[in-house]
């Protein structure tokens, strides 16, 4: 199983980015996004169940980020709006066979990270 993340970049505060993750398989219960800033531990950002709901968000991104998926394309996305400098991190997509997983250690499959930098 392979996951391929894309869509990172440099954006000004208040701007938007859309991250994409292409999966080689659809045999997952939950798909999620995590991020890791320099000097900090990896943290959960958002997750979505295979059927499209429920969706889970970290408190720090709720209301600004939206996770979605396209089953026909074996892909899922993270739309990030109103970006803040503290959102700067390497974002990684991941997939789990565990339903409703939000902890990183419950995700068996990981894509490579994509850098998101929010700076003026």
């Amino acid at each position: 199983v392979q996951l391929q993340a894309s869509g990172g970049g440099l954006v000004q505060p208040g701007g938007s980015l859309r991250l994409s993750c292409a999966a080689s398989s659809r045999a997952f219960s939950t798909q999620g996004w995590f991020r890791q800033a320099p000097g900090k531990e990896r943290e959960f950002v958002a997750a979505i169940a295979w059927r499209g709901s429920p969706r889970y968000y970290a408190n720090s991104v709720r209301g600004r980020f939206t996770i979605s998926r396209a089953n026909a394309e074996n892909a899922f996305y993270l739309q990030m709006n109103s970006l803040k400098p503290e959102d700067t991190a390497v974002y990684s997509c991941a997939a789990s066979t565990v339903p409703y997983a939000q902890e990183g250690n419950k995700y068996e499959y990981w894509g490579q990270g994509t850098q998101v930098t929010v700076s003026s």
Side-chain angles (χ1 to χ4, degrees):
V1 176
Q2 293 184 334
L3 300 173
Q4 180 74 36
S6 62
L10 172 64
V11 63
Q12 292 186 343
S16 298
L17 280 175
R18 187 192 194 212
L19 304 183
S20 301
C21 185
S24 63
S25 169
R26 58 177 62 187
F28 306 120
S29 292
T30 314
Q31 294 169 315
W33 289 94
F34 292 78
R35 67 186 182 186
Q36 187 167 20
K40 295 186 177 180
E41 294 186 352
R42 182 180 64 196
E43 65 173 348
F44 168 78
V45 176
I48 186 169
W50 169 250
R51 295 181 177 180
S53 65
R55 308 181 191 190
Y56 303 95
Y57 296 95
N59 289 335
S60 59
V61 307
R62 186 175 290 111
R64 301 187 296 121
F65 291 11
T66 301
I67 189 170
S68 61
R69 58 168 295 108
N71 288 355
E73 300 171 357
N74 283 356
F76 59 106
Y77 310 94
L78 185 68
Q79 177 67 42
M80 305 185 294
N81 298 329
S82 302
L83 282 161
K84 305 175 181 180
E86 52 263 42
D87 294 318
T88 295
V90 175
Y91 285 70
S92 298
C93 59
S96 174
T97 58
V98 177
Y100 319 124
Q102 298 177 55
E103 299 84 0
N105 60 11
K106 293 184 178 177
Y107 283 75
E108 300 99 323
Y109 307 102
W110 292 82
Q112 90 295 352
T114 184
Q115 176 71 45
V116 172
T117 302
V118 185
S119 175
S120 55

